[in-house]
Amino acid sequence: MSGTQPRPPLSLTRRRWRIPSALAHGDDVLEGLSVLDDVPGELGILLWQALRDASLWAAASPKARSGIFTANAQANRMAAVLSAGVPLPLERPLAVLARMAGSPEDAGEANVALALREISLWLDEHGRLGSALAYAHAAAMVAAGDAATAFIVGRLARRRAEYVRAATWFRRTAALARQSGDWPSYARAFMGLGQLYLQRGNLPVAYRFRRRALETTRRRGLDDLQGTAYHDLFEVAVHMGREGEAQEYARQAFESYGWRHARVPMLAHDVAYFWMTTGGFERALAVFQAILPHFDRTADRVVVLSGVARAAGGAGRPERFREAWAEVRGSLREVGEDNVAAVLLEGARGAISVGEWSLAEEAAQMAMDAAARRGEGHVRLAAEAVLDCARRHGSLPSAGQPDAAPEMERAADCLAGDFVESLRLVGSAA
């Protein structure tokens, strides 16, 4: 008889995936100092204190939490909430964190994590990206095993151009999701990595991650995410110059979403942008203008209007260009830092098309500077080329496709018509 031990049942040998650690800090010397920079006055101090409380609570063991705060901590925190003039959406989550300081041993991790996520979302919606990231990170420390919470940290870090930090959080998301069977978060982790590598200009790696995300949605029956996966592949195929493949992905994304899906306006915007870059200015302009009523947030409208400005310039409509660009310039401060360079670049291109040379030069220089600050290599190089063109009073490289296959043009016109009709059916976001 062999001396080897009998193998235990399969259920006892199931592999537990190693969960990789993720970077805790980015640009802040101390986590959370961005809150004091982002939010002025009493509210900023209150948010910083609440974040510090939650971070201390998360770092302590359950048995040690009772000794973290002073006896009057809850009363002091609630008094600060009342005196700071807290916006209504922050009242409930800040009250939860105040109660946590009063009864740290009784505060549930799910409640604390939810409060932190709610504050992070509010900060993000109000353009405080660094503070939103700090709060999301605290939520991930509280809910250490939750893949969806880890993904939020990665996404915010990527948007803040903290690319190394973002990559570590997306990989942690994938490992947590695989271990827990959270397949939507598993797919989103690869979507996030794909977007990160796209922003860094590494197109082959971006494509591989996005293909992996699509395969996950198919294999796991994630119908709600399959449209997003096709949408992402459309974007990277455009950057790789695979125009026929890109248009096919666009059609598949639209069909996966369905005509009344909330993401159709975003898909329509991205596809209209693609048509604009290949010379289809009139087609793109029609879709951009159909999209506008679906975006009521100023930051989103500015992105769409920058497309209107460029398409109008390319279509030889100088008055429509000037009208759109005036609205863009008036609202530029409302644009998220992750979109500023691209918005300015589209304005510069539209200005060149209508001979507005000084405007084109100014916008291209600002776009180049913004892209350099964020490490967006492909945007910076494009802005340099546009700036050179503006200084020479030259013409942009031809975007037309005189040899484009007629069937591809017909397919594009058909998809544009479907977008416009779909946007009409869904109605205005307002």
Side-chain angles (χ1 to χ4, degrees), residues 2 45 53 92 101 113 165 175-176 183 198 209 249 301 307 328 349 364 387 398:
S2 170
I45 296 171
D53 288 347
R92 193 208 73 82
R165 185 182 186 185
L176 287 170
W183 301 115
L198 178 63
F209 276 124
Y249 281 138
R301 282 184 59 83
V328 170
R349 286 167 168 157
L387 178 60
S398 175

Side-chain angles (χ1 to χ4, degrees), residues 43 89 124 127 152 169 181-182 205 228 259 275 358 367-368 371:
L43 179 59
D124 185 19
I152 294 170
W169 279 96
D182 180 356
V205 174
T228 303
W259 282 48
W275 288 328
S358 60
M368 190 171 69

Side-chain angles (χ1 to χ4, degrees), residues 10 46 67 158 196 301 311 315 412 416:
L10 183 60
L46 173 61
R158 176 188 57 76
L196 187 154
R301 282 184 59 83

Side-chain angles (χ1 to χ4, degrees), residues 123-130 132 156 158-161 163 199 297-304 306 328 331-345 366-367 370-371 373-374 376 379:
L123 289 164
D124 185 19
E125 289 174 345
H126 288 78
R128 275 74 167 186
L129 193 55
L156 289 169
R158 176 188 57 76
R159 288 177 52 206
R160 203 166 182 242
Y163 297 119
Q199 286 182 217
R297 247 190 13 131
T298 301
D300 297 329
R301 282 184 59 83
V302 171
V303 172
V304 178
S306 70
V328 170
S331 304
L332 200 57
R333 290 185 179 180
E334 301 294 323
V335 180
E337 62 186 73
D338 49 329
N339 285 321
V340 168
V343 163
L344 289 163
L345 184 55
M366 291 171 66
R373 285 194 300 271
R374 288 179 50 80
E376 296 176 346
V379 178

Side-chain angles (χ1 to χ4, degrees), residues 198-355:
L198 178 63
Q199 286 182 217
R200 297 307 306 256
N202 192 333
L203 301 180
V205 174
Y207 185 83
R208 286 201 298 273
F209 276 124
R210 289 184 164 184
R211 284 294 311 182
R212 190 164 179 182
L214 176 63
E215 289 161 7
T216 300
T217 65
R218 287 172 168 172
R219 188 169 60 251
R220 300 295 175 178
L222 305 177
D223 295 340
D224 289 346
L225 283 176
Q226 195 166 126
T228 303
Y230 278 123
H231 188 164
D232 285 352
L233 280 165
F234 155 79
E235 183 183 20
V236 75
V238 168
H239 282 280
M240 298 178 82
R242 301 176 180 177
E243 293 169 5
E245 186 177 339
Q247 189 150 290
E248 180 58 28
Y249 281 138
R251 169 57 74 178
Q252 289 173 312
F254 181 58
E255 291 177 353
S256 294
Y257 282 145
W259 282 48
R260 297 178 182 273
H261 196 280
R263 282 186 57 85
V264 167
M266 186 59 68
L267 174 66
H269 171 271
D270 294 345
V271 180
Y273 183 88
F274 160 61
W275 288 328
M276 181 172 64
T277 63
T278 56
F281 295 111
E282 291 284 0
R283 183 191 300 132
L285 183 59
V287 175
F288 280 137
Q289 295 189 139
I291 292 167
L292 265 177
H294 293 264
F295 293 94
D296 51 2
R297 247 190 13 131
T298 301
D300 297 329
R301 282 184 59 83
V302 171
V303 172
V304 178
L305 280 163
S306 70
V308 171
R310 181 182 174 189
R317 300 190 184 186
E319 290 304 317
R320 184 66 184 109
F321 164 77
R322 294 186 188 100
E323 180 183 284
W325 187 244
E327 189 172 344
V328 170
R329 284 304 305 266
S331 304
L332 200 57
R333 290 185 179 180
E334 301 294 323
V335 180
E337 62 186 73
D338 49 329
N339 285 321
V340 168
V343 163
L344 289 163
L345 184 55
E346 298 319 318
R349 286 167 168 157
I352 287 174
S353 296
V354 296

